[in-house]
């Protein structure tokens, strides 16, 4: 069976190999403890605290395999010892992500352990999508490390392992600073605190392995480190941005929903108070009988003047004709007429008389224009029905009085009925985020209003904290700067080594040249020169080896004259002139 890579045990120092394997053993031990907690029904091992998320059984099983794969990589350098656990981890992670994407249960959640359903788990056995993503990255890193003679395998493993470490670290920070968005997405399963710690252990173990496995001679940091730092920093900033944004949105949603409930209560209390006051007026009618018209009109006019939201109070007799109205001004022509021609008014009056209870009409068109409501209260006189008491309320005046600026300050409010807007406050403010609005049903006697509340433009300017955007921009910029600084530092270090090597070579050359300025052993007879190794060589050969000088051969005038004489030839005049012009030592 082929080995992973023969140089690995020699490249990675023994001490760091042990540290990497130790981190893998810790991750394996964590998985075993949680598995034991599931089988032994020990909640403290499954979830550190009752209010925290549990580590799912599948997650613990993947930690068990991942830690064992790290140990095997160092001490069992056969590909199968790493590929098989990594393959199982990758399969479980991909199936889990597919379940989340397809909203289907593919059977992997409770394949290994089916007892989680009775332990208050939202998705029994299903690891969180964050965990599945981390395990998939770890499996890919393991797969890359098993590829022999691939220069990029170390870089891939290093980048992915640091990516996992950053996700685990940011999840722990989320638990520490109350940012659920760092360890959970929406309503899906959340990452447990000890799950985040397990990812830090596995990621750090792999990172150590890839760090020393990819070091070049004379270098202290791997060349892929800038990319890994950029990926880790940008990943952490993105997660932190979404977490801060989600927390801000949750706070706004909570405020808006609370405001909507309070606003609904204000409307209900005010309307019930108005109905009860009219019911008391009807009860006096029942106890004393039908009052005198002048007395009733005086009391009713005073009641209307004290209630700005009310336009008039009417008495409609049993034949459904208007008999009395206060105030009377402008309504004399309506006396004696049947005003219940509109179906909504007729239905409300019939219901009030049948049920002997006050009834509020849906929105109706008022005689003076605009929309409003009418409260019908059945009347009794000496035990016999005596028509109904009708209170006319204009919608705009009613909601302006019931919803002043002190109610839901800074919030935009819209009250509608059947899709038709009855009232709007700061309606020009757009609903920037639909999830930031709240809707309540206001159910009253005979009618239902829809109350919608959302932050107004002015309130958004106050509560829309730019911190998430600042964190994201700082993280992205910081990641790029950190990677750039790391790259430039590595480049400067490499250039420094090259310069040092060039300087050493130049110094050696200079030293070689300087040796010509000292004493040179030279033969007095043959003129050979002895070098440092004791070898005798011709002067021209020695000069060629120790200098950049280029030598050419010929005769000096004295030797040329001797040569001509030895061969019995006449010495040329040119040679004689040179002999006369030069001196020889």
């Amino acid at each position: 069976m082929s080995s992973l890579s023969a140089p690995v045990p020699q490249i990675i120092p023994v001490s760091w190999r042990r540290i990497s394997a130790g981190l893998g053993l810790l991750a394996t031990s964590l998985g075993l403890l949680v598995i034991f907690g599931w089988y032994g029904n020990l909640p403290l091992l499954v979830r550190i605290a009752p209010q925290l998320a549990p580590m799912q059984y599948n997650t613990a099983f993947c930690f068990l395999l991942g830690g064992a794969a790290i140990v095997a990589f160092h001490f069992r350098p056969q590909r199968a010892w790493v590929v098989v656990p990594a393959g199982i981890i990758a399969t479980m992670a991909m199936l889990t992500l597919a379940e989340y994407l397809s909203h289907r249960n593919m059977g992997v959640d409770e394949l290994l352990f089916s007892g989680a359903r009775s332990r208050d788990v939202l998705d029994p056995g299903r690891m969180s999508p964050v965990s599945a993503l981390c395990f998939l990255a770890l499996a890919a890193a393991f797969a890359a490390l098993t590829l022999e003679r691939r220069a990029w395998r170390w870089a891939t493993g290093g980048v992915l392992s640091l990516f996992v470490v950053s996700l685990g670290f940011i999840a722990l920070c989320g638990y520490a600073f109350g940012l659920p968005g760092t360890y959970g997405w929406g309503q899906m399963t959340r990452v447990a605190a000890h799950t985040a710690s397990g990812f830090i252990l596995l990621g750090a173990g792999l990172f150590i392995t890839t760090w020393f496995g990819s070091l070049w001679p004379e270098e202290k940091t791997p060349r892929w480190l800038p990319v890994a730092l950029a990926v880790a920093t940008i990943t952490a900033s993105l997660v932190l941005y979404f977490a801060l944004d989600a927390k801000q949105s949750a706070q706004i949603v909570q405020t808006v929903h609370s405001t909507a409930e309070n606003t609904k209560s204000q409307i209900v209390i005010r309307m019930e108070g108005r109905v009860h006051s009219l019911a008391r007026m009807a009860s006096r009618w029942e106890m004393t009988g039908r009052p005198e018209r002048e007395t009733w009109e005086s009391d009713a006019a005073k009641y209307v003047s004290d209630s700005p939201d009310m336009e008039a109070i009417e008495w409609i007799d049993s034949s459904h004709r208007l008999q009395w109205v206060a105030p009377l001004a402008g309504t004399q022509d309506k006396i004696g007429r049947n005003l219940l021609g509109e179906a909504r008014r007729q239905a409300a009056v019939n219901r009030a008389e049948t049920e002997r209870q006050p009834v509020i009409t849906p929105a109706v068109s008022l005689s003076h224009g605009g929309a409003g409501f009418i409260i019908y209260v059945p009347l009794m006189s000496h035990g016999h029905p005596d028509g109904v008491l009708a209170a006319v309320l204009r919608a705009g005046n009613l909601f302006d009085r019931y919803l002043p600026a002190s109610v839901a300050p800074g919030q935009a409010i819209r009250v509608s009925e059947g899709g038709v807007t009855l009232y709007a406050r700061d309606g020009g403010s757009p609903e920037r985020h639909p999830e930031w609005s709240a809707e309540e049903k206001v159910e009253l006697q005979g009618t239902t209003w829809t109350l919608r509340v959302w932050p107004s433009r002015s309130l958004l300017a106050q509560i829309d904290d730019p911190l998430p955007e600042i964190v994201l921009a700082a993280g992205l910029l910081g990641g790029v700067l950190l990677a750039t600084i790391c790259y430039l530092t590595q480049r400067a270090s490499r250039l420094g080594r090259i310069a040092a090597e060039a300087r050493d070579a130049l110094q050696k050359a200079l030293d070689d040249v300087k040796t010509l300025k000292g004493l040179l052993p030279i033969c007095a007879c043959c003129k050979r020169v002895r070098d440092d190794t004791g070898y005798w060589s011709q002067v021209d050969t020695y000069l060629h080896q120790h200098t950049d000088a280029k030598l050419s051969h010929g005769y000096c005038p004295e030797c040329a004259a001797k040569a001509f004489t030895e061969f019995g030839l006449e010495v040329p005049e040119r040679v004689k002139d040179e002999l006369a012009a030069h001196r020889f030592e």
Side-chain angles (χ1 to χ4, degrees):
M1 190 175 294
S2 62
S3 64
L4 289 173
S5 177
V8 168
Q10 287 75 33
I11 292 176
I12 303 177
V14 175
S15 59
W16 285 105
R17 287 175 56 203
R18 291 174 179 173
I19 292 175
S20 177
L23 293 174
L25 285 175
L26 287 176
T28 298
S29 301
L30 177 63
L32 284 173
L33 283 175
V34 175
I35 289 174
F36 179 72
W38 279 112
Y39 282 113
N41 193 18
L42 300 173
L44 185 61
L45 297 179
V46 175
R47 61 177 87 206
I48 300 176
Q51 71 274 13
L52 298 181
M55 181 191 293
Q56 301 291 0
Y57 186 93
N58 286 359
T59 304
F61 183 72
C62 287
F63 276 133
L64 174 65
L65 296 178
I70 292 181
V71 176
F73 183 82
H74 289 289
F75 300 104
R76 289 282 184 177
Q78 281 78 34
R79 183 177 286 107
W81 287 90
V82 177
V83 171
V84 172
I88 297 174
I89 292 173
T91 301
M92 296 187 70
M94 287 189 292
L95 287 176
T96 300
L97 290 175
E99 286 181 327
Y100 281 115
L101 293 174
S102 63
H103 304 287
R104 294 175 56 191
N105 187 344
M106 299 182 179
V108 69
D109 298 338
E110 298 180 279
L111 179 64
L112 302 176
F113 182 73
S114 59
R117 188 174 298 278
S118 61
R119 287 172 168 78
D120 189 26
V121 178
L122 181 62
D123 293 313
R126 182 177 300 181
M127 68 179 72
S128 75
V130 179
S131 298
L133 185 62
C134 287
F135 280 127
L136 190 59
L138 288 171
F142 281 125
L145 293 182
T146 60
L147 298 176
E148 298 180 10
R149 296 181 294 278
R150 295 292 189 275
W152 49 264
R153 64 176 182 147
W154 301 110
T156 303
V159 171
L160 291 175
S161 61
L162 200 57
F163 167 76
V164 173
V165 171
S166 66
L167 285 181
F169 177 75
I170 203 69
L172 283 183
C173 291
Y175 275 106
F177 298 104
L179 296 173
T182 60
Y183 53 85
W185 297 345
Q187 299 299 318
M188 293 180 282
T189 307
R190 296 184 172 185
V191 177
H194 44 330
T195 299
S197 302
F199 286 128
I200 294 177
L201 293 175
L202 284 180
L206 270 180
F207 185 72
I208 291 173
T209 301
T210 55
W211 177 288
F212 289 99
S214 57
L215 283 181
W216 284 43
E218 304 291 332
E219 292 187 351
K220 297 181 179 180
T221 58
R223 296 191 175 185
W224 47 261
L225 185 59
V227 178
L229 290 176
V231 170
T233 305
I234 292 174
T235 299
S237 63
L238 284 172
V239 173
L240 191 58
Y241 163 75
F242 287 116
L244 290 172
D245 187 67
K247 184 177 182 179
Q248 176 180 302
S249 297
Q251 292 174 342
I252 294 175
V253 169
Q254 183 179 4
T255 301
V256 170
H257 278 272
S258 176
T259 301
E261 293 177 357
N262 293 336
T263 304
K264 173 186 175 181
S265 299
Q266 287 285 339
I267 295 175
V268 172
I269 291 173
R270 293 292 190 94
M271 288 298 295
E272 288 181 347
R274 181 65 63 228
V275 171
H276 289 331
S277 63
L278 294 172
R280 286 194 297 271
M281 184 181 294
S283 65
R284 290 197 299 271
W285 187 301
E286 182 176 0
M287 289 186 295
T288 61
R290 183 186 303 171
E292 295 294 330
R293 178 174 181 173
E294 293 77 8
T295 302
W296 182 89
E297 288 181 347
S298 175
D299 292 343
K302 184 177 180 180
Y303 185 82
V304 171
S305 65
D306 293 339
S307 305
D309 56 314
M310 189 176 296
E311 285 202 347
I313 297 180
E314 304 170 344
W315 171 48
I316 299 175
D317 62 15
S318 299
S319 62
H320 295 171
R321 295 183 180 276
L322 176 63
Q323 298 297 334
W324 299 344
V325 61
L328 183 61
T331 59
Q332 294 88 342
D333 59 331
K334 298 179 183 178
I335 301 298
R337 293 171 53 189
N338 187 339
L339 302 180
L340 303 183
E342 190 175 354
R344 291 187 173 188
R345 298 190 187 201
Q346 184 66 55
V349 169
N350 292 339
R351 180 179 174 184
E353 291 177 338
T354 302
E355 299 179 0
R356 311 308 301 172
Q357 293 291 335
V359 174
I360 302 175
T361 67
V364 296
S365 298
L366 302 181
S367 57
H368 295 292
F373 314 97
I374 301 177
I375 303 175
Y376 291 115
V377 182
L379 294 174
M380 297 290 291
S381 177
H382 303 296
H384 298 286
D386 199 15
V388 293
L389 196 65
V392 182
L393 301 97
R394 184 172 295 276
N397 295 341
L398 182 146
F399 291 115
D400 283 338
R401 180 173 174 79
Y402 290 0
L403 302 175
S406 58
V407 176
Q411 304 283 359
I413 298 175
R414 181 170 65 242
V415 181
S416 59
E417 181 188 79
V420 178
T421 300
L422 303 176
Y423 173 80
R425 189 180 80 183
D426 201 4
S429 297
E431 295 188 43
R432 178 176 173 183
H433 299 286
E435 64 272 14
W436 287 5
S437 61
E439 194 170 278
E440 294 284 344
K441 295 295 184 181
V442 184
E443 297 182 353
L444 301 167
Q445 291 92 336
T447 187
T448 300
W449 298 335
T450 300
L451 171 68
R452 193 171 184 84
V453 178
W454 68 94
S456 65
R457 184 182 287 104
S458 59
L459 182 61
L460 281 176
Q462 301 175 11
I463 65 177
D464 194 6
D465 192 353
L467 180 60
E469 287 77 11
I470 293 175
V471 169
L472 178 61
L476 297 177
L477 181 61
V480 174
L481 289 178
L482 187 61
T484 303
I485 292 172
C486 183
Y487 170 75
L488 293 177
T489 302
Q490 290 179 331
R491 182 177 177 82
S493 178
R494 289 195 296 271
L495 292 177
R497 288 195 305 273
I498 294 173
E501 292 173 359
R503 185 171 58 251
D504 292 342
L506 179 61
Q507 185 64 40
K508 184 177 182 303
L510 291 175
D511 292 341
D512 292 341
V513 171
K514 287 180 180 179
T515 58
L516 297 179
K517 295 181 179 180
L519 292 174
L520 293 177
I522 186 169
C523 177
C525 180
C526 67
K527 309 302 182 183
R528 286 190 175 91
V529 178
R530 188 185 67 190
D531 60 16
D532 295 338
T533 62
Y535 181 79
W536 291 89
S537 58
Q538 296 291 336
V539 173
D540 55 350
T541 303
Y542 185 87
L543 291 175
H544 176 72
Q545 292 175 347
H546 293 79
T547 69
D548 291 333
K550 296 181 179 180
L551 305 178
S552 64
H553 295 81
Y555 288 95
C556 67
E558 184 178 359
C559 292
K562 289 180 180 180
F564 278 108
T565 302
E566 289 176 358
F567 286 102
L569 299 174
E570 183 180 358
V571 178
E573 292 296 328
R574 179 174 58 82
V575 175
K576 293 178 180 180
D577 293 339
E578 289 181 355
L579 283 171
H582 292 82
R583 298 174 59 189
F584 298 91
E585 297 180 355

